[in-house]
Amino acid sequence: MVRAVWDVPRLLRHPVWRSVEPHQGNGLGVVLVPGFGAGEASLSPAAWWLRARGYRPTRSGVGFTVGCTTELLTKLAHSTEKHAELTGRPVVLLGQSRGGWLARLVASRRPDLVHGLVMLGSPVLDPLGAHPGVLRVARLLARLAAAGVPGLLDDDCLSGPCFDEHIKALAEPLQVPAISIFSRSDGVVPWELCQDPCAECVEVSSTHTGMGFDPHVYEALGPRLAAWARRDVEVTA
């Protein structure tokens, strides 16, 4: 995360940040879903960038994304439905890492609420294929949950019926357009695990935690989100 924050000046100087089309988003809603342990503030640059271009971003309400998968999905589905009601139309889900595959699960279950899906460094082909250090933290949280600490993922999120159900759901075809942004420089999630067959897979040269601060990510998102916003206007006109 320190490296990511270091990239902020580069992002702020870049034309992709400085050139603004304030009506590009046409009020299209976007729900931002942070990665494992990152917290909602980690996607603040994305929120600023989107808002300046006429999108309506909002937080997902999943906090640090370290809770039980089923509980996080319930919260995210609720936030998605609420934002769709507020904006009067389906919204875009934009999630990083674990937040991306949680967003994919909601998109596959509630395509009526979702206009499009963006996944940043999300291991949709194998959520447990991340760096061993991340998995050690996940298993520690599961042990703490077993000891009675509330609000954390548990063993069933890592194996068992709950895990099997979500793995199966991640393989289901999507009914909404999707983008999966990946990096071969990602030291947390192997880039191969981001190759969602139902998404347009776009390569950048970012670090894992730096994707939300990398101008090349916004260069990739800009025209694609604009196309979705235009299509949204055509559908609702």
Side-chain angles (χ1 to χ4, degrees), residues 24-33 40 43 46-51 53-61 76 79-84 86-87 89-95 103 113-120 218 221 225-226 228-229 232:
Q24 175 182 299
N26 293 306
L28 180 61
V30 184
V31 179
L32 302 172
V33 196
E40 306 275 5
L43 290 175
W48 297 332
W49 185 85
L50 289 163
R51 193 173 294 112
R53 285 152 186 81
Y55 298 91
R56 296 182 65 180
T58 191
R59 294 186 172 194
S60 61
L76 180 54
S79 298
T80 302
E81 183 173 18
K82 184 177 178 180
H83 204 43
L86 178 66
T87 58
R89 49 191 163 163
V91 300
V92 171
L93 294 179
L94 189 159
L113 298 177
V114 180
H115 186 70
L117 169 67
V118 176
M119 297 169 286
L120 307 179
Y218 295 97
L221 289 181
L225 289 177
W228 289 357
D232 178 62

Side-chain angles (χ1 to χ4, degrees), residues 128-144:
L128 295 184
H131 189 279
V134 176
L135 296 182
R136 283 195 292 271
V137 173
R139 293 190 174 97
L140 172 61
L141 294 177
R143 290 197 295 272
L144 292 174

Side-chain angles (χ1 to χ4, degrees), residues 162-187:
C162 180
F163 174 79
D164 293 341
E165 174 191 346
H166 294 137
I167 286 293
K168 182 179 178 180
L170 278 174
E172 293 178 357
L174 288 169
Q175 300 178 47
V176 300
I179 303 165
S180 178
I181 294 182
F182 69 95
S183 172
R184 295 173 195 262
S185 302
D186 192 325

